Amino acid sequence: MTTTRIGLATCSALPRLDSDDRPLLAALTERGVVAEAVVWDDPDVDWSVYDLVVVRSTWDYSPRRDEFLAWAERVPRLENPARVLAWNTDKGYLRTLEEAGVPVIPTIWLDPDRHLSKRAVHTRMPAFGDFVVKPVVSAGAQDTGRYQPVSAQSRALAITHAVDLLDGGRAVMIQPYVTSVDTSGETGLVFVDGELRHAVRKHALLTGPAEAGDALYAAEQMEPAVATAEQVDVAEKALAVAREQVGGEQPFLYARVDLVTGDDGTPMVIELELTEPSLWMQHSGTAATLDAFADAIVARA
């Protein structure tokens, strides 16, 4: 009798997985399978030995996106699959969502191939209200900063931030800072196998300019939340558009849709996480997301 083997892909900085995902190892073992944390860019790993590889805390991929996607293509059985990762690791997907009628944060897009001058970058930044500058390919709020247009110093830092990213060949996003985040935070809706399991609230994270550092992600303060009907509707619409874009017969094995509230009360997508999101399973309460996730993994394996 052959034993089912499941690999949970992580990064070298977290070889035993992030603390949120670590309980998956025991949960899968309880279901009679062999589960292992495996570093995605370890050249000695034979990915063909796994009946399924599930992408989890691969949080160092963004500076090496091409390498990461090439790895995903080589893994015989991967969830979420390579075509999903290719679509989702470039936040240009927000344009697709917007075109399909899903409410998103208005965004200004800067392309490095246009070789914009500092003055050109300056003219594209908002004249009123705090705004955010971040790369189109990033994870864990890396290289992301909040700026104030009324402050000459802050605006200068924003211009330098954007130009440095563009000079490094990275596309840039500029978005208005949604002020409700300071009072209500972001709400993340967690889906497993296409079903909403639970919601979490993330407290405000951005307080100033982007800071250099080696951290994989910015520390987040989380708590359980209850999603409203309007939030669920927007999240499900976003996932439906994503499914149309990437194809496939099954729902996404895992997904997290992060929402903020606009000035008019409308939930807006800030990120659709289909690559390596924390699912914050420790905050799922009676929803038992850990068990549901383990069951779904075993079923697909």
Side-chain angles (χ1 to χ4, degrees), residues 9-32:
T10 185
C11 60
S12 58
L14 296 166
R16 296 181 56 244
L17 299 168
D18 175 64
S19 58
D20 183 58
D21 285 314
R22 216 165 289 147
L24 263 179
L25 294 169
L28 290 168
T29 300
E30 290 171 0
R31 286 157 175 79

Side-chain angles (χ1 to χ4, degrees), residues 24-75:
L24 263 179
L25 294 169
L28 290 168
T29 300
E30 290 171 0
R31 286 157 175 79
V33 303
V34 174
E36 302 168 328
V38 197
V39 175
W40 74 269
D41 58 352
D42 183 342
D44 296 325
V45 175
D46 178 3
W47 298 99
S48 68
V49 304
Y50 295 103
D51 296 282
L52 185 68
V53 176
V54 181
V55 181
R56 293 316 306 136
S57 38
T58 57
W59 294 340
D60 60 354
Y61 80 85
S62 57
R64 299 181 290 155
R65 177 173 179 258
D66 290 345
E67 181 184 346
F68 178 68
L69 295 180
W71 163 80
E73 290 284 358
R74 293 195 302 271
V75 178

Side-chain angles (χ1 to χ4, degrees), residues 4 25 33 49 58 65 82 89 110 116 118 137 147 168 178 190 193 206 223 230 235 245 247 263 269 281 293:
T4 299
L25 294 169
V33 303
V49 304
T58 57
R65 177 173 179 258
T89 50
L110 305 183
L116 297 170
K118 280 191 174 183
V137 177
Y147 302 94
V178 180
V190 175
D193 212 15
L206 298 179
E223 62 185 29
E230 292 80 9
Q245 291 295 312
D263 291 340
V269 175
M281 293 181 286
F293 196 21

Side-chain angles (χ1 to χ4, degrees), residues 26-278:
L28 290 168
T29 300
E30 290 171 0
R31 286 157 175 79
V33 303
V34 174
E36 302 168 328
V38 197
V39 175
W40 74 269
D41 58 352
D42 183 342
D44 296 325
V45 175
D46 178 3
W47 298 99
S48 68
V49 304
Y50 295 103
D51 296 282
L52 185 68
V53 176
V54 181
V55 181
R56 293 316 306 136
S57 38
T58 57
W59 294 340
D60 60 354
Y61 80 85
S62 57
R64 299 181 290 155
R65 177 173 179 258
D66 290 345
E67 181 184 346
F68 178 68
L69 295 180
W71 163 80
E73 290 284 358
R74 293 195 302 271
V75 178
R77 292 166 296 278
L78 186 69
E79 293 285 353
N80 286 329
R83 66 181 183 278
V84 176
L85 306 188
W87 183 81
N88 186 240
T89 50
D90 184 318
K91 292 182 178 64
Y93 66 75
L94 290 170
R95 287 191 266 198
T96 303
L97 296 182
E98 185 176 28
E99 290 166 359
V102 178
V104 303
I105 299 177
T107 303
I108 297 167
W109 306 88
L110 305 183
D111 186 342
D113 292 338
R114 297 190 62 185
H115 303 290
L116 297 170
S117 66
K118 280 191 174 183
R119 179 174 178 79
V121 171
H122 176 224
T123 61
R124 284 162 171 78
M125 292 185 172
F128 304 98
D130 289 10
F131 60 94
V132 173
V133 175
K134 60 184 175 182
V136 171
V137 177
S138 67
Q142 292 174 321
D143 300 315
T144 299
R146 175 181 173 180
Y147 302 94
Q148 297 80 39
V150 295
S151 163
Q153 180 183 16
S154 182
R155 195 172 185 87
L157 288 172
I159 295 168
T160 299
H161 180 187
V163 169
D164 286 348
L165 290 172
L166 292 168
D167 287 348
R170 304 175 73 182
V172 172
M173 306 165 62
I174 302 174
Q175 297 177 319
Y177 183 79
V178 180
T179 56
S180 66
V181 173
D182 287 335
T183 55
S184 304
E186 297 177 20
T187 302
L189 279 64
V190 175
F191 292 78
V192 171
D193 212 15
E195 179 182 351
L196 175 63
R197 299 302 307 184
H198 72 280
V200 292
R201 179 171 292 107
K202 178 168 67 177
H203 293 217
L205 188 64
L206 298 179
T207 58
E211 297 180 0
D214 298 325
L216 280 178
Y217 55 91
E220 298 172 327
Q221 184 179 353
M222 309 295 298
E223 62 185 29
V226 177
T228 66
E230 292 80 9
Q231 288 174 327
V232 174
D233 182 61
V234 169
E236 290 181 340
K237 286 179 178 176
L239 290 172
V241 172
R243 286 283 308 281
E244 291 174 0
Q245 291 295 312
V246 301
E249 297 179 359
Q250 292 180 304
F252 302 115
L253 174 61
Y254 56 85
R256 197 186 78 213
V257 187
D258 293 343
L259 305 172
V260 294
T261 304
D263 291 340
D264 63 355
T266 300
M268 299 185 296
V269 175
I270 186 168
E271 286 196 3
L272 171 58
E273 297 269 14
L274 304 174
T275 301
E276 30 61 66
S278 291

